Amino acid sequence: MFMENSILSPEIIGQIRSVIAKKKPKSVNDLTSEFSDIPKKTLMSIYSLEIQRRTKYQHFILSQPGTIQAMYNRYVAAIKNNEEPGILLRISAEAKLPPTVVARRILEQYLLTVTNASKAVIKATVSANLKNSSLIQDRDLALEVYLCVLNDDCYGPIADVLKMTIGLEYEVLLKKRLAENNIPFSDEHKLRHQGFDKTPDVKLDIPIGVDGRVINWIESKALFADEKLHQQYLKDQLWPYWNRFGPGMVIYWFGYESSIRKNTSSSNAARILVRHDFPEKCLVLTPDLILNKR
């Protein structure tokens, strides 16, 4: 499960990004043949991250006056011409946008056209319709939205549930590893009950020693982290945890960019250990152990 080839050099990450940009694979399966030595979950995480970033950078497309109306007019014309189902999928491919993003905007335009509802009501209706397309009165649009949600690996209700499920799966794995090693801990639910607002996934009741460092808490991330994403996590989560609980560890279960570990040589970065698996060897720092070491 935890292979060293999930720790990737910037050069390899650059090659993967280049394939995604040039060949525009429809799913992660199109990447596995070219990078067969890299775990599929690692490729999936990189693919998802790149699509999300590309969508963010291309958001201006949907902000241009008349863009959404032009897409909607194209959809309406295609329905009148009895085009094969998958119209919104084709529109999203041409616009280089995730299918669910396009489906959301077309749904909004449809509701603006057929109802006098407020923007707030339309927004709530669209969210409900994406989760359950059978609620859409127009059967053609209902099918188109369903196909978009079904074929979107990165956005939409199915993708969101998958990400949440995978995240919970690896949190359970982390707690299982702690229990197997007889390491007592408090999870984020217990910590919040105690009044903490920002909490790691687990706070160790007794510190442990890993790779020569003291660890007070562990954060579980079921994804691949490149340097940019890791820096964002440091700012938003990991440094606040360090300020509250002292040095800790983050596990990027699907790997990370090799430069991240190299950059932890500085005194500040060394306070947070980065790994791609749970350590095989860890030392529970009980008071008796510490006294015996003196």
Side-chain angles (χ1 to χ4, degrees):
M1 177 184 289
F2 312 118
M3 294 189 280
E4 287 297 331
N5 55 359
S6 63
I7 301 176
L8 307 180
S9 68
E11 292 75 20
I12 294 297
I13 296 172
Q15 292 176 23
I16 297 172
R17 287 172 176 160
S18 179
V19 170
I20 294 173
K22 292 179 180 179
K23 297 189 176 181
K24 300 176 178 60
K26 294 183 179 179
S27 73
V28 70
N29 293 327
D30 297 332
L31 291 173
T32 53
S33 59
E34 296 200 39
F35 302 97
S36 57
D37 57 331
I38 299 175
K40 186 174 181 179
K41 288 183 178 180
T42 299
L43 288 173
M44 179 66 218
S45 186
I46 296 172
Y47 172 78
S48 178
L49 181 61
E50 286 304 302
I51 295 300
Q52 289 174 29
R53 286 175 176 168
R54 187 174 70 186
T55 301
K56 183 178 180 181
Y57 295 147
Q58 293 178 326
H59 183 71
F60 74 93
I61 295 176
L62 299 177
S63 303
Q64 300 299 311
T67 298
I68 302 303
Q69 185 64 56
M71 285 185 176
Y72 183 72
N73 292 342
R74 160 84 187 281
Y75 161 73
V76 172
I79 291 295
K80 289 182 178 179
N81 292 331
N82 295 316
E83 287 190 21
E84 291 291 322
I87 298 167
L88 294 188
L89 287 174
R90 293 191 287 276
I91 292 175
S92 67
E94 292 170 6
K96 300 178 183 178
L97 291 166
T100 304
V101 172
V102 171
R104 176 179 287 278
R105 295 309 181 100
I106 296 298
L107 261 175
E108 290 174 352
Q109 193 64 35
Y110 164 75
L111 292 172
L112 284 171
T113 303
V114 301
T115 72
N116 295 317
S118 66
K119 289 184 178 180
V121 171
I122 287 177
K123 184 177 179 180
T125 302
V126 168
S127 295
N129 288 349
L130 287 174
K131 293 177 182 177
N132 184 2
S133 58
S134 66
L135 298 174
I136 302 172
Q137 294 182 1
D138 186 302
R139 67 178 186 179
D140 293 319
L141 184 55
L143 175 60
E144 291 294 324
V145 170
Y146 173 76
L147 291 174
C148 285
V149 172
L150 196 63
N151 287 277
D152 200 324
D153 291 334
C154 302
Y155 283 87
I158 294 178
D160 290 343
V161 169
L162 285 173
K163 290 174 186 176
M164 182 181 68
T165 301
I166 293 171
L168 290 173
E169 175 187 348
Y170 280 85
E171 285 183 28
V172 170
L173 176 61
L174 170 60
K175 294 174 183 179
K176 181 181 178 182
R177 293 287 185 266
L178 290 169
E180 290 172 349
N181 287 273
N182 298 313
I183 301 172
F185 65 89
S186 299
D187 63 17
E188 57 186 331
H189 303 293
K190 184 176 180 180
L191 291 170
R192 285 175 183 167
H193 184 71
Q194 294 174 354
F196 294 100
D197 52 352
K198 270 196 170 183
T199 64
D201 289 317
V202 297
K203 166 70 171 65
L204 304 180
D205 296 339
I206 301 175
I208 61 174
V210 179
D211 297 344
R213 305 188 196 181
V214 175
I215 303 299
N216 293 300
W217 52 267
I218 304 175
E219 180 71 7
S220 171
K221 297 292 185 186
L223 47 75
F224 177 90
D226 62 7
E227 186 70 53
K228 182 178 180 179
L229 184 62
H230 177 61
Q231 291 300 320
Q232 191 65 46
Y233 279 136
L234 282 173
K235 177 183 176 182
D236 296 342
Q237 292 181 291
L238 305 180
W239 286 133
Y241 297 161
W242 179 86
N243 286 330
R244 286 175 172 82
F245 306 111
M249 176 171 67
V250 58
I251 301 177
Y252 295 120
W253 294 101
F254 301 160
Y256 55 85
E257 187 170 349
S258 58
S259 60
I260 292 175
R261 196 70 182 265
K262 293 177 182 178
N263 292 338
T264 59
S265 58
S266 67
S267 58
N268 283 335
R271 297 168 185 171
I272 298 174
L273 179 63
V274 177
R275 291 187 61 93
H276 71 297
D277 60 1
F278 189 85
E280 293 184 4
K281 295 181 180 180
C282 53
L283 193 63
V284 181
L285 303 178
T286 61
D288 291 340
L289 178 64
I290 295 173
L291 289 172
N292 290 334
K293 290 289 184 180
R294 292 180 177 179

